[in-house]
Amino acid sequence: MFTLRQHGFHLSLLVVFALTWGWSAWQPLHPDDWLLENYLVFAALPVILISTHAFPLSKVSYTLITLFMCLHLVGSHYTYAEVPFGFTLQEWIGAERNMYDRLVHFSFGLLLAYPVREILVRMAGLHGFWAYFFPVDMTFALSSIYEIIEWLAARTVSPELGIAYLGSQGDIWDAQKDMLLAGLGSIVAMLVVLALNRWRSANALGDIRNSLSVPAHDQALGEAKHRR
């Protein structure tokens, strides 16, 4: 059950998101692309709001989710290939393209791996090594699913809108690089979580070792279970 203080915290995150969304929706650079970019936001937001009552996440998770969604809204306002800060990143690292989309894909893993981990730990009972491995695995999977959705959506719209939506900027390996960066972001996130857990508990590494050992009375499923 939420306390009034918890409601206030969640409300403040919602206000931050609403203000960012309102700014993003006000005279976007390419309105058609903005709408296309925000279909997933329209789908995800009700799920997040409804789940706060049935399965509330931690404040950390909601903060990370809000931050990622705001980063996405900035990209949808300008289109990812034309975000001003992306050109600044391009100059900083000497890249040949606007780098904002790379930043957001990396942030997808960096910011969302922890909420994914929280859900898996609480609902699937993961612990030890598996509580760090499967958030990374899920991040790679979700990133690849998004790239497939992006490809299918780009095929159904006009070529100009499809190019703006994909934001590949002429890079034939754009999708693969985006997935790699999302995965790297999740690995960094899990290393940070591991370091914090190691700092808080001397048993953190021991839990990882124990989770990799086979239980004494373990048996193969399938034919063994059928024989019983």
Side-chain angles (χ1 to χ4, degrees):
M1 184 70 66
F2 285 138
T3 65
L4 181 60
R5 180 177 298 179
Q6 286 174 314
H7 276 302
F9 178 81
H10 289 83
L11 181 60
S12 65
L13 291 179
L14 186 59
V15 169
V16 169
F17 171 80
L19 290 174
T20 307
W21 188 87
W23 166 83
S24 175
W26 176 255
Q27 296 183 343
L29 195 60
H30 299 287
D32 290 340
D33 179 68
W34 180 90
L35 182 61
L36 194 59
E37 295 277 6
N38 278 275
Y39 278 133
L40 289 179
V41 176
F42 298 147
L45 185 60
V47 173
I48 294 172
L49 293 176
I50 293 172
S51 67
T52 57
H53 298 285
F55 188 76
L57 299 176
S58 64
K59 291 181 178 180
V60 173
S61 287
Y62 284 126
T63 301
L64 295 174
I65 292 170
T66 302
L67 179 55
F68 173 76
M69 294 182 73
C70 288
L71 288 173
H72 171 71
L73 289 173
V74 172
S76 69
H77 178 78
Y78 295 101
T79 76
Y80 276 89
E82 301 181 54
V83 176
F85 182 64
F87 292 117
T88 302
L89 286 176
Q90 179 180 353
E91 293 179 3
W92 286 353
I93 64 177
E96 298 180 353
R97 69 196 300 279
N98 187 299
M99 295 298 289
Y100 188 78
D101 68 323
R102 299 281 194 246
L103 172 65
V104 174
H105 280 282
F106 179 78
S107 299
F108 177 82
L110 183 68
L111 299 176
L112 299 188
Y114 182 84
V116 169
R117 182 181 191 274
E118 181 178 352
I119 294 171
L120 292 175
V121 168
R122 291 171 57 189
M123 295 195 70
L126 297 183
H127 64 94
F129 170 79
W130 308 109
Y132 300 98
F133 170 77
F134 278 106
V136 174
D137 187 63
M138 284 289 295
T139 300
F140 273 111
L142 291 172
S143 181
S144 65
I145 291 172
Y146 175 77
E147 293 295 335
I148 293 171
I149 293 174
E150 194 176 54
W151 163 61
L152 292 173
R155 287 186 59 190
T156 62
V157 298
S158 66
E160 296 80 8
L161 179 56
I163 291 173
Y165 180 57
L166 288 175
S168 60
Q169 302 180 61
D171 187 350
I172 62 172
W173 305 112
D174 181 68
Q176 289 81 358
K177 292 176 181 177
D178 289 345
M179 290 185 285
L180 174 61
L181 284 171
L184 290 176
S186 68
I187 291 172
V188 171
M190 291 301 99
L191 289 175
V192 171
V193 173
L194 175 60
L196 291 174
N197 287 340
R198 181 68 180 85
W199 175 66
R200 293 176 55 199
S201 173
N203 296 326
L205 296 181
D207 289 340
I208 291 177
R209 288 193 296 270
N210 292 336
S211 68
L212 293 172
S213 61
V214 180
H217 302 291
D218 177 75
Q219 289 185 334
L221 298 177
E223 63 277 6
K225 190 173 184 65
H226 284 302
R227 283 198 297 268
R228 289 198 300 271

